[in-house]
Amino acid sequence: MKREITISAPGKLMLLGEHAVVYNRPCIVTAVGQRMRATVELTEKSTFQLNAPDVQIANYQKPMDQLGIGDLPKGAKFVEIAVVNFLRSLLEYSRSDLVKPGVKVSTTSEFSSQFGFGSSSASTVCVIKALSEITEANLNNKEIFDLAYKTVLDIQGKGSGFDAAAATFGGTLYFVTGGKTIEPLNIDSLPLIVGYSGIKADTVTLINQVKEKAGGNPQAVEDIYDNIGKLVEQAKLALLGKDWQSLGELMNENQKLLTKLGVSINKLDDMIAAALKAGAYGAKLSGAGGGDCMIALAPEDKVQAVKDGITSVGGQIIEVETNAEGARIETRD
Ligand code: MEV
């Protein structure tokens, strides 16, 4: 049996459909070139050990029988609960003999956890795939996704799982809540520009904020979700047909609906307006809103102007490769 393995998984960018996808509507997500890495080792000592410098976790240790118990540090939660869920899944299949007493994990990231690129879900996927490989449990991608999504729900209580799907499968996906549909869209990379607002957003806070709004007028919010769902269907066709003009218009439409949900903020609005003024086909926030990133789709000859526009209002351009490969083995010994 292999003793140590390194797995990488990509970050993600939501293209269209955020928030509505939490409530049984579809979204479109693309995996980005920036990756998360986890090295996992099975050890003789019955201890869980974690080093995750990107989230300020150094030499975190606890006995394996305390795994998932007590107050977990924020930066350790996803990895620790991922290990718990993986071990439980082995028990379910009576394969717990596959695991040595202890597990040691180190994670590193090619992107800041501040961007909203889904570092928590990507590290969750890395750890589950690593454990699956190292124990020869040989989970398939759907099984890895299911355990990663369970981990997200155990910790956050809410979420669609789209980020775990992007980290597992990679590419660009048409995705419905909880993985009811995970359909790879056969496209090349997208002419996408990404601007970071410099403001960290908290997904659960934003989901709760929208839920509160829905409490006041549930039908209005349901109608917004329905409209987002419809434009995602149209966007899927535009994307497959490389009809960037239409896709851009649908992004603008999506942004208007997100504004109605109350999740955009002035900084994102300014960056989006600057991108459109500089000639983008379309622009919108990407993710939960409240900060993180915006995305713009632009013709080749307008790319520089759009980037300049975004920076002129205080945004930071992040170069990304879209449609990146899903979770993969980097090294093993
Ligand atoms: C957050 O990046 C996107 C949301 O739709 C949450 C989710 O889908 O899990 C707001």
Side-chain angles (χ1 to χ4, degrees), residues 93-258:
Y93 298 111
S94 310
R95 294 189 295 190
S96 54
D97 56 308
L98 294 174
V99 179
K100 292 269 176 187
V103 177
K104 184 177 175 188
V105 181
S106 316
T107 61
T108 54
S109 177
E110 292 173 359
F111 57 92
S112 160
S113 63
Q114 306 292 305
F115 290 169
F117 277 9
S119 52
S120 303
S121 290
S123 52
T124 301
V125 166
C126 284
V127 168
I128 292 168
K129 185 171 170 68
L131 287 169
S132 163
E133 293 290 332
I134 208 167
T135 61
E136 292 169 8
N138 297 326
L139 302 183
N140 64 31
N141 274 349
K142 183 61 168 59
E143 290 168 324
I144 292 170
F145 164 78
D146 286 341
L147 280 181
Y149 181 46
K150 176 176 175 4
T151 304
V152 171
L153 287 184
D154 285 348
I155 295 165
Q156 292 187 174
K158 329 184 146 76
S160 66
F162 81 105
D163 38 9
T168 309
F169 294 89
T172 299
L173 304 173
Y174 169 89
F175 174 91
V176 182
T177 324
K180 288 188 192 98
T181 306
I182 304 176
E183 185 186 331
L185 301 179
N186 191 11
I187 55 155
D188 303 330
S189 71
L190 285 161
L192 207 66
I193 297 154
V194 182
Y196 174 52
S197 66
I199 300 161
K200 176 75 194 126
D202 179 59
T203 300
V204 177
T205 307
L206 269 297
I207 293 178
N208 285 338
Q209 191 183 304
V210 173
K211 201 171 170 199
E212 227 164 82
K213 190 181 172 76
N217 194 345
Q219 194 51 52
V221 172
E222 280 298 309
D223 289 348
I224 293 175
Y225 292 156
D226 279 344
N227 287 331
I228 293 177
K230 277 183 206 148
L231 71 80
V232 168
E233 300 296 346
Q234 291 171 269
K236 180 182 166 187
L237 299 178
L239 196 60
L240 289 170
K242 290 191 180 174
D243 180 353
W244 306 137
Q245 182 84 45
S246 301
L247 188 60
E249 281 160 22
L250 290 163
M251 286 166 69
N252 293 338
E253 207 50 47
N254 197 163
Q255 174 62 21
K256 279 188 204 145
L257 293 166
L258 288 165

Side-chain angles (χ1 to χ4, degrees), residues 12-90:
K12 56 75 190 169
L13 272 173
M14 176 69 93
L15 297 180
L16 302 107
E18 48 272 269
H19 287 286
V21 68
V22 180
Y23 304 98
N24 282 317
R25 272 77 168 189
C27 75
I28 299 176
V29 56
T30 193
V32 298
Q34 285 90 337
R35 302 181 79 81
M36 192 82 205
R37 274 184 175 67
T39 298
V40 174
E41 196 186 328
L42 299 185
T43 58
E44 298 298 333
K45 203 170 143 205
S46 186
T47 311
F48 171 68
Q49 301 173 62
L50 175 63
N51 278 293
D54 295 299
V55 282
Q56 289 79 50
I57 297 290
N59 296 321
Y60 173 69
Q61 293 197 23
K62 69 200 296 189
M64 284 298 277
D65 61 8
Q66 292 300 304
L67 214 57
I69 296 171
D71 239 354
L72 316 188
K74 196 164 174 268
K77 272 186 190 166
F78 283 84
V79 169
E80 187 168 337
I81 301 299
V83 176
V84 171
N85 282 332
F86 177 80
L87 295 179
R88 284 205 183 125
S89 79
L90 285 187

